[in-house]
Structure formats: C-alpha cells, structure tokens
Amino acid sequence: MNDNALNHLHVEPTIHHEMKGDEGSLVTMKGFSLWYGASQALFDVEMELEKGLVTALIGPSGCGKSTLLRSYNRMNDLIDGLRVEGSIIFDGQEIFHPDVDVIGLRKRMGMVFQKPNPFPMSIAENVAYPLKVDGVRDRKLIADTVERALKSSALWDEVKDRLNQSALGLSGGQQQRLCIARAIAADPDVLLMDEPCSALDPVATAKIEELIDELSGRYTIVIVTHNMQQAARVSHNTAFMYLGRLVEYGETSAMFTVPRADRTKEYVTGRFG
Amino acid sequence: MEDNGKLPPPMRRSGHAPLSARGEPYVWLLGGALAAGVVMIVSFLALVTYNGVKAFWPRPVYTITMMDDSVTAGELVRSETFMPVASQGKPPAGPSIRSLYRLGNYDLTNEDFRWVSDMDIKTIAAPEDILLVERLEWGPFIGKLVSVDNGDSRLAPDPLTHDKLAHLVTQAQQRRHKIRKLQKVQVGYVNRQLEEARLSLRKVALDHGKDSQEYLAAAKETSITTDRLEGEYAKLAEEANRLDLLDAAQTITFASVSGMEKTIRQSEVVRLYKPNALGFFGKVGVYISRWWEFLVAEPREANTEGGVMPAIFGTFVMTVMMALLVAPFGVVAALYLREYARQSWLVSLVRVSVNNMAGVPSIVYGIFGLGFFAYGMGGWIDQWLYAERLPSPTFGSGGVLWASLTLALLTAPVVIVATEEALSAVPQSAREGSLACGASKWQTIRYIVLPRALPGIMTGLILAMARGAGEVAPLMLVGVVKLAPELPVDMIFPYIHLERSFMCLGFHIYDVGFQSRNAEAGKPMVFMTTLLLMSVVAALNAGAIIVRNRLKKRYVAGHF
Ligand SMILES: Nc1ncnc2c1ncn2[C@@H]1O[C@H](COP(=O)(O)OP(=O)(O)OP(=O)(O)O)[C@@H](O)[C@H]1O
Ligand SMILES: [Mg+2]
C-alpha cells in the first residue's frame, strides 16, 4: 500500500478528455492495480467503457494492454500468484466479489484473441460452442444462432456450403472472423479484442474493421491495437497506456488531434514506441 | 604503417579444425553404436521369424543303415560340421559332418533324437512309402503301415489308398471329439451342478447351523437333486464308456523300420503323411494344417505339441481387461496431476514417484499383486461371498482379475506419463478460447483438452498394452499356469470367470522352452510362440502409430 502511494507521487494523474457518447458507462474501473507475483503490471487505472461504443487501447509493447483487457473477463484468474486491487463494476456489479459467477461473467463478455484459436471441430460446432456449453439441445435454435453469428461476422457467404467441415481448413482471416462469430454467438454485452488483426493481411484487416463498425452499437467493444490508423478509424474513445498506467483517455478525435500529455503526443505521432 | 609499406600478413586460419573441435568422430561413433544395436535387433527378429516360419514345413525322412547294420529312420532336423575325436590306432580325421535326426517312436526305443555322424553311415535312402504319423501321445511315429482294424474287418495296407486312410483318420477324430465333448462338457456340467448343490447346502449349514429347520429342509431338497443328478451322471458315464469301447476297437498298426510293431487307436492319429512322396502342394497342405492346429487347438504333450489357443485367448482377455482398468485410472490420475492439483512440491514428488514406478522390477509387482490382491482382497471376498467353498480358494488365489489388476498397476506409469505429456501439449490458447466462451473448467477439459490429447493418450495406452501382453514374471505369481483346464470366458453363467487361472503366451515360451522334458522337441513351438507374441506386440505398436496419426490429422491440422 505504501509503495503504491509513493508511486503516485511521481506520476501525473490520468488526463480525462470529454467522452464521446451519452448513453453512460457499462463498465467502470476504479483504482485498479494488478500484480504478477511481486511485479506490478497495472497502476491505479481509472477508466470507463461507454455503452455501445468502441474503445481502443493503445500504448507501447509491454505497457499492460492485454493485462487490462484480460482483467475485464477475469481471464487472469488462471495465472498463479496474481493479485488485484481496486474494483471493476460491470452493469452495477463488482466483478471481483466472491459471489460473482465467473462463468456467467465470461458469457457476457466475449473475447477474441490475437492469434485465431478455432477449436478442432467443424465450423458450425465452433460457432455453436457457447450454446453447447450452456446445454442447449434445440437444433433449430443452434442452426439459427450459427447463421446469425456467421452473418454478423461477415463469414456466412464464404462458409455456408461447408459448415460441417473442419474449421482448421479456413484461412487465417476467416479463422479470426470465425472466432468473432463464436464470441458473439452467445450474444454478450461486451466484446474484448486483443490485437485481432495482427496476424492478418490488409484485406482481411479491412473486413474486420468494417465488422467492428457494424457491431458497434449492439456491443460495447474494447480493442487493443498497435495500429494508430486503425485506432483512429474504428474507435470512438481511445485510451493511451504507458508502463502500466493510463496516461490519457477520451474521445478518439481529441486524443489524436490535441493530445495533452507529451507521451501521448509522441506516441500517436509515431516518435516513439 | 603505410609509410614503411609493410603490412602485417593477414592472419590465416587453418582450414582444418583440430580433432577435438570436430563433431564427426562422435557422430561416427554414435552412429556406429546405433547401427550395431539395430543390426542386432533386426537379426534377432530375422532369426525368430526364419525359425518360426519354417518350423511347420514337412521335412524329409531318411532310413539309415549304420556301419553296424542296425537300421533307423528319422526326420532330418539339421546338420553341422564337427571335429571328430581321434580314437587310438587311427590317424586323426579331418572335419566331418553330423546330422540330427528326429527318430520318433519314443515309446518303443526311448530315444527321440539322435546325432548321426556321416562316418557311421553305411547307406542312406529316402523311401517314398515311409509314413510319418503324428499322434496324441509319445510324439511322432516313423515307419510303415501294417494293418487297419475296424473292429469287424481287418484291412491290409495294399488296397488302402492314402485317401481312404485319411478318411478313416478324419472319422476317428470326429469320434474322439464326440467322446471328449461328452466327457468334458456334459459330464462336466452335471458335475458342476452336483458341486453347486453340495455348496448351497454347506452355505445353509454355515448360515443357520446344522440343527436348524432350514438346514433340514435344504438337506432333503439337496438329496433329491443329488439323486437325480447322479442318475444323469451314471447314464452319461455309461454312454461315454460305450463309445470309448467302440473307439478302442478301431485300431491301426504300424511297424518301425527295424520291425517293431505298434498298435494305436485310429482316433489317436492327429495327422499322417508320406513325407518323401509329398509334392510342393502336399507340403503346403501339411504346413497350413499345422498352422491351423497351432492357432485354434489346445496344447498336447506337456505343451510341446498342438496349439496355443488357450494362451492366445488368455493373453487377449488379460490385456483387454488390463487396458479397461488402466485407462480410466491413468487418465484420471494424469488429469488431476496436470489440470487440477496446484503445482507444488508435493505434486512434483508424486510425479517423480510415478516416473520411478516404471522402473520397479516387475516381479515386485507380482509379489505385491499376490499378497495384496489375491491373498488380501481375494481372501476377503472369499470369506464374504464364497464362505461355503473354503478352504479351497475362489478369488483367494491367482486369477485373471488379479493378473489384470497387477498389470494395470505395472503399466499405469506409462499411461500417466503419456497422458500428462499429451495434456501439457494442448496449447493454452485453446483452453483460453474455451474459457472465454463461458465454459467451465471441466467443460473445457471434456470438449477441448481431452479430444486434443487423445492421440497421445491412446499411444500411451497401446504401448502399455504391448508391455502387458509381453510380461511374464509377475504373472507367474498372480494367475498364469502351465495348463489351464478352462478358459476365463466361456458359455457357462456368468460367462466371464474372473477368478480362473489362465495361460499366456509369454509364460508358454518359458514353459515349453525351458521346463519341458524334451527341449529339442519343444523348439519349433518356442519359435512359433515367440513369433506369435512378437507379431501381437508389433501389431499393437503399429496400431498405436496408426491411431496417433489418424487422430493427429483430425485435431492438429490447420495453417496460419
Ligand atoms: N503471466 C505473466 N506473468 C508475469 N508477468 C506478466 C505476465 N503476463 C504479462 N506480464 C508482464 O506484465 C506486463 C504487461 O504485459 P502485457 O501482456 O499486458 O503487455 P501488452 O501491453 O499487451 O504488450 P503487447 O503489446 O506486447 O502485447 C509486461 O511487463 C509483462 O512482462
Ligand atoms: Mg498484448
């Protein structure tokens, strides 16, 4: 605690810009710190995710973007020796409360990983996996869900004739869109995406960006990216992180045109990072 | 430097590195050692295969007149060069050749095999009409047909064609099977019912005491059943006797080349052929018929002849049961160690212990199995469920269940280690993908981790089966016997008899090769059984490879 307090003496507090939306926040992070064993990875982060909008997380490698993202759906729970402080409130509920059902939480927060990770099953089974986990048996419902999710992720036309073939036979970009379809099949509230385009070529990237655009409004999306143009194109709000701290946060246009912190300025103009 | 124009000569590095810096000698050394090992293994396999494959091929039979004018006949087994010992008076001769002949006719001469040196032979011939008769007892007979007695009519050899003789023999064999079936199956069935009646009465006596009402009632009932069964028994025995007398009247008489006669029942003839008159296809026929007998018949003559069907069957049942026991146990243990247990020093200790368990001598497992499973658990089951049969043990001695359990214990480390490796090879990203979909830990394991680990698990399991199928030492203590009267699975309720002792291939090799009266006579059987066991193990290993490749293709293919 003391260390933490001391640390704060040297840091500027987060600069908060005007936010984009007016629907209010869905997820609120307050005084959030995280330790991997003895080393601290996140320092006192204060950040809100606005409902139905796309939030981009940017910052140099190792600054804690993935760590922050994985805190939302408590994916970090798998790591031994992890410790957190502060709170994340999702839809009025503290997610670190002992009574919270982690599985239920993850069902409401879909996640897409940096590297596409389809399961070794057929395309349809991949998308229907969240339903299978829920014990849904209704074939009609499953088929409808698969179709809807694949259409939402702009993959339907490419795979509708081979739904029963292995998902491992798809191209990298198709696999990533399949993972997005899987993440939205259970109709979550939040979609967490960790560098979803880093393994893809420009055409596939463009498709996914389009997709994010279409999905926004329905879902609250957080996207981690190293690509400034991408952040500028797809997001409404942008958070800049540096060394585990949230340096500046606010409407994307403001962040890119009139960044207030020097670090942010340097990073978005490409002078470091 | 430049002004005096003398540049130091460029440093030259020798193109030849010193020997110590070069890897080639070590590569050659290691490669050579590996090659030597492989050559040794391959030539051993080739030796076993060669000897096993040719063991059943009919060999020529020679009649030999010795220098002292005695005549013998025998099947040529093999020849070798040797140095004769110089006897006094004669100059030492050079190397000479001697041959091993199987003389047969053991009951007449007490001599089964004889080394004959070329120097002692006056004449040697391969007559077309000499007969080789394989019999149920006493090994083969080599000689000529004298007569056939059908009880009422006596046939001289002249009008008897080979086909007619073969027909007679086939008929006689059918008679033999019929009598045997009567004795073993039907009489055995009545016997078993008698025994059950006696045991159930004893059970009542144990439960209620000998003076109780229940006992008196049961005793009355039992005596009625017993009387009925004994009547049946007498009838069956009489029938068996009658058939046996009929069978005994139908005989066949042979004479050896030295003129000694031997009369046996026609039904005692297993196979008879004229080795020197056989064409290629005739030989193939004999070869196939011997193979067939080897695979489907029961052993005869203290296991040195006949078939190994009970051993094949016993090995099969034992291995399958072992797999059924070790698979769930090993997989669950590995799942706990890898997925659920917190990785602490205790878990590391358990893991190291499991790895070391693979190195415990297998006989130790045998002793443990005998003490803990057979005497401990089996003795307890006997007291609890089979009290009326005591003091003769039911589960309280070696049996196929205890043997399978012992082997399951012995091979558990293989399965656990293979499963743990397979589990840890499942990428974290796959697990995270599943968890992020809201799957529980168990669902993730069930739907994602286990299917992906399946090839590795199957490989471990099949390797464990191969190991278990070839095991001998521990089995000798927990249920394998030289000759089991009954198979562990048959048509009598409850069909699978877990308490029965059984035969297995590995022990069969040891028994025939090293425990039998006549090692030379058992040799073909040893090679054949070894070949069979090796083929089973090779087939299991090949199965492991195929299964792994199949499943791998299904689960791990894909490109990025
Ligand atoms: N499992 C872990 N155990 C210990 N330290 C970790 C672990 N995961 C991440 N870290 C540390 O936490 C810090 C933040 O890592 P994180 O993965 O969140 O960075 P990032 O911003 O996502 O980087 P990148 O852009 O390269 O993905 C790094 O210093 C990293 O070394
Ligand atoms: Mg990252």
Side-chain angles (χ1 to χ4, degrees):
Chain A
M1 271 315 261
N2 256 341
D3 270 5
N4 210 4
L6 275 178
N7 273 330
H8 282 277
L9 296 179
H10 306 292
V11 207
E12 318 271 309
T14 306
I15 302 167
H16 283 278
H17 288 262
E18 192 77 358
M19 300 288 274
K20 167 102 179 172
D22 41 16
E23 283 215 45
S25 78
L26 182 65
V27 188
T28 309
M29 194 177 256
K30 278 200 187 123
F32 190 73
S33 301
L34 182 146
W35 288 260
Y36 288 115
S39 72
Q40 190 168 2
L42 292 178
F43 298 82
D44 202 17
V45 178
E46 304 264 348
M47 184 174 162
E48 298 187 341
L49 299 182
E50 285 193 297
K51 197 167 184 177
L53 298 190
V54 180
T55 305
L57 273 181
I58 59 172
S61 184
C63 69
K65 305 180 295 291
S66 299
T67 305
L68 184 69
L69 194 73
R70 291 160 58 90
S71 301
Y72 283 117
N73 66 348
R74 290 185 57 180
M75 214 54 171
N76 285 327
D77 285 14
L78 304 178
I79 295 163
D80 277 342
L82 187 100
R83 192 164 62 83
V84 296
E85 248 173 41
S87 76
I88 300 176
I89 292 166
F90 169 45
D91 210 7
Q93 253 258 315
E94 166 60 54
I95 68 163
F96 289 106
H97 194 276
D99 289 347
V100 164
D101 164 27
V102 181
I103 290 170
L105 173 74
R106 289 189 188 140
K107 282 178 185 163
R108 296 185 63 189
M109 295 206 180
M111 190 165 207
V112 178
F113 296 81
Q114 177 171 357
K115 223 173 121 184
N117 56 353
F119 303 135
M121 312 168 175
S122 75
I123 293 169
E125 282 173 312
N126 257 281
V127 181
Y129 187 75
L131 299 183
K132 179 175 178 177
V133 159
D134 285 344
V136 176
R137 286 273 156 70
D138 184 349
R139 278 160 184 255
K140 176 92 174 69
L141 177 63
I142 292 176
D144 288 349
T145 309
V146 168
E147 185 173 340
R148 179 182 54 77
L150 284 173
K151 277 182 174 155
S152 314
S153 66
L155 191 59
W156 176 253
D157 291 332
E158 285 157 74
V159 300
K160 62 171 184 267
D161 299 323
R162 47 169 175 158
L163 288 176
N164 291 321
Q165 286 175 23
S166 170
L168 302 179
L170 295 174
S171 78
Q174 289 172 326
Q175 287 187 357
Q176 193 62 302
R177 276 178 284 150
L178 181 73
C179 292
I180 296 176
R182 189 175 69 196
I184 59 182
D187 209 18
D189 299 318
V190 180
L191 199 53
L192 307 168
M193 302 172 122
D194 195 349
E195 301 182 43
C197 302
S198 66
L200 305 182
D201 71 290
V203 178
T205 303
K207 273 196 179 156
I208 296 209
E209 284 180 13
E210 228 170 84
L211 183 60
I212 292 171
D213 209 40
E214 277 165 30
L215 294 177
S216 72
R218 194 133 58 99
Y219 303 105
T220 304
I221 299 176
V222 187
I223 176 172
V224 172
T225 178
H226 278 291
N227 182 331
M228 292 308 114
Q229 285 81 32
Q230 184 172 60
R233 278 195 301 265
V234 301
S235 71
H236 303 106
N237 293 318
T238 298
F240 173 66
M241 293 184 68
Y242 183 68
L243 291 180
R245 293 177 175 84
L246 180 59
V247 175
E248 196 165 345
Y249 181 43
E251 198 182 330
T252 301
S253 55
M255 290 284 291
F256 280 91
T257 49
V258 282
R260 274 190 247 152
D262 292 344
R263 290 269 182 217
T264 321
K265 209 177 290 171
E266 285 167 15
Y267 189 73
V268 297
T269 52
R271 242 173 290 155
F272 93 103
Chain B
M1 282 241 248
E2 274 162 15
D3 31 28
N4 57 21
K6 262 199 332 196
L7 280 167
M11 200 180 96
R12 303 199 80 162
R13 300 195 63 189
S14 155
H16 296 278
L19 192 64
S20 62
R22 286 196 287 166
E24 287 90 342
Y26 305 105
V27 173
W28 283 111
L29 198 71
L30 297 176
L34 178 68
V38 169
V39 164
M40 257 148 59
I41 292 170
V42 167
S43 47
F44 169 71
L45 292 181
L47 175 85
V48 171
T49 312
Y50 172 73
N51 278 297
V53 165
K54 75 161 197 186
F56 286 159
W57 191 252
R59 288 175 293 216
V61 169
Y62 296 99
T63 47
I64 305 162
T65 315
M66 312 288 278
M67 285 299 181
D68 59 4
D69 284 328
S70 65
V71 187
T72 46
E75 208 180 15
L76 178 63
V77 179
R78 62 173 179 272
S79 301
E80 63 183 32
T81 341
F82 79 117
M83 238 355 154
V85 190
S87 50
Q88 69 271 63
K90 286 183 207 157
S96 175
I97 291 176
R98 65 181 172 195
S99 308
L100 182 67
Y101 289 94
R102 175 163 210 190
L103 306 181
N105 310 4
Y106 187 75
D107 40 345
L108 299 178
T109 58
N110 257 327
E111 190 184 15
D112 208 1
F113 288 85
R114 186 193 288 175
W115 281 104
V116 179
S117 116
D118 273 4
M119 298 183 302
D120 302 333
I121 297 177
K122 195 188 258 174
T123 58
I124 183 161
E128 291 259 308
D129 60 341
I130 201 141
L131 263 181
L132 191 140
V133 186
E134 287 175 40
R135 305 177 286 178
L136 282 183
E137 277 169 350
W138 297 108
F141 189 95
I142 293 173
K144 292 187 175 138
L145 181 64
V146 175
S147 66
V148 174
D149 192 343
N150 271 342
D152 40 11
S153 61
R154 207 176 155 83
L155 303 174
D158 287 339
L160 267 180
T161 61
H162 195 76
D163 283 346
K164 262 192 200 152
L165 203 57
H167 182 64
L168 275 180
V169 168
T170 319
Q171 273 184 332
Q173 281 171 351
Q174 282 164 357
R175 271 203 308 276
R176 186 179 87 223
H177 284 135
K178 203 169 148 194
I179 296 173
R180 195 172 142 70
K181 198 174 153 198
L182 193 69
Q183 284 170 338
K184 197 172 159 179
V185 180
Q186 292 180 278
V187 176
Y189 181 66
V190 175
N191 261 335
R192 201 170 298 112
Q193 282 186 313
L194 270 170
E195 176 71 2
E196 263 165 28
R198 187 184 72 79
L199 287 175
S200 62
L201 182 62
R202 179 135 187 257
K203 193 170 165 65
V204 175
L206 284 176
D207 287 351
H208 300 278
K210 279 214 165 181
D211 322 304
S212 63
Q213 282 296 318
E214 286 91 343
Y215 179 74
L216 292 177
K220 202 186 272 170
E221 202 177 305
T222 307
S223 78
I224 295 170
T225 338
T226 312
D227 284 348
R228 180 175 58 79
L229 288 172
E230 269 167 2
E232 265 178 55
Y233 182 89
K235 238 190 282 167
L236 284 173
E238 196 185 325
E239 171 71 1
N241 242 338
R242 190 182 62 81
L243 288 177
D244 194 50
L245 276 177
L246 275 180
D247 188 54
Q250 304 191 310
T251 60
I252 188 163
T253 306
F254 303 101
S256 76
V257 284
S258 56
M260 285 191 279
E261 288 204 358
K262 173 79 183 177
T263 302
I264 59 172
R265 292 184 188 195
Q266 287 172 13
S267 61
E268 280 180 83
V269 175
V270 175
R271 190 179 293 110
L272 118 180
Y273 62 92
K274 293 184 173 155
N276 299 333
L278 280 182
F280 177 74
F281 291 105
K283 285 186 181 175
V284 169
V286 173
Y287 185 71
I288 290 175
S289 112
R290 281 179 171 165
W291 257 103
W292 180 248
E293 187 194 1
F294 175 72
L295 290 178
V296 304
E298 290 180 14
R300 316 180 254 115
E301 305 238 28
N303 294 353
T304 59
E305 302 275 342
V308 293
M309 194 275 289
I312 298 175
F313 192 76
T315 309
F316 177 75
V317 169
M318 173 193 80
T319 312
V320 167
M321 274 180 61
M322 178 209 83
L324 291 181
L325 290 168
V326 76
F329 174 75
V331 170
V332 165
L335 267 182
Y336 178 75
L337 281 179
R338 177 61 59 185
E339 304 286 332
Y340 283 95
R342 234 169 27 112
Q343 305 297 316
S344 64
W345 63 270
L346 190 66
V347 169
S348 309
L349 187 71
V350 169
R351 195 169 284 139
V352 169
S353 310
V354 166
N355 285 338
N356 282 331
M357 260 166 68
V360 173
S362 56
I363 190 77
V364 174
Y365 284 97
I367 295 167
F368 175 80
L370 181 70
F372 182 76
F373 293 134
Y375 292 165
M377 286 168 64
W380 181 73
I381 291 175
D382 274 2
Q383 286 198 343
W384 187 44
L385 290 175
Y386 298 99
E388 71 278 7
R389 298 196 192 180
L390 288 173
S392 62
T394 309
F395 276 97
S397 67
V400 66
L401 174 65
W402 303 140
S404 310
L405 265 174
T406 307
L407 280 190
L409 213 58
L410 178 91
T411 53
V414 179
V415 177
I416 293 177
V417 170
T419 307
E420 269 213 76
E421 255 163 38
L423 290 176
S424 60
V426 175
Q428 189 65 19
S429 65
R431 295 163 203 260
E432 287 187 347
S434 167
L435 290 171
C437 286
S440 68
K441 185 166 189 171
W442 169 243
Q443 285 173 324
T444 301
I445 289 173
R446 166 80 189 69
Y447 296 136
I448 305 296
V449 177
L450 275 183
R452 260 193 114 133
L454 202 59
I457 297 175
M458 291 298 280
T459 310
L461 187 62
I462 296 180
L463 288 181
M465 284 170 76
R467 163 114 204 253
E471 199 56 73
V472 180
L475 296 179
M476 284 162 66
L477 300 179
V478 289
V480 162
V481 289
K482 184 183 166 68
L483 194 66
E486 288 154 315
L487 296 176
V489 176
D490 61 19
M491 302 303 288
I492 295 162
F493 184 81
Y495 311 115
I496 299 176
H497 305 273
L498 296 177
E499 79 284 2
R500 280 189 189 164
S501 52
F502 61 104
M503 297 169 70
C504 85
L505 288 171
F507 182 70
H508 204 77
I509 296 172
Y510 168 72
D511 180 56
V512 177
F514 305 99
Q515 300 287 295
S516 64
R517 166 185 64 82
N518 193 333
E520 192 64 53
K523 236 178 183 175
M525 207 63 178
V526 172
F527 279 118
M528 291 298 309
T529 315
T530 311
L531 183 65
L532 188 67
L533 182 57
M534 276 181 0
S535 318
V536 169
V537 172
L540 281 173
N541 281 319
I545 292 167
I546 292 170
V547 164
R548 189 176 47 201
N549 289 349
R550 277 249 173 108
L551 292 175
K552 239 191 203 154
K553 236 180 246 154
R554 214 166 107 208
Y555 289 116
V556 214
H559 52 86
F560 291 105

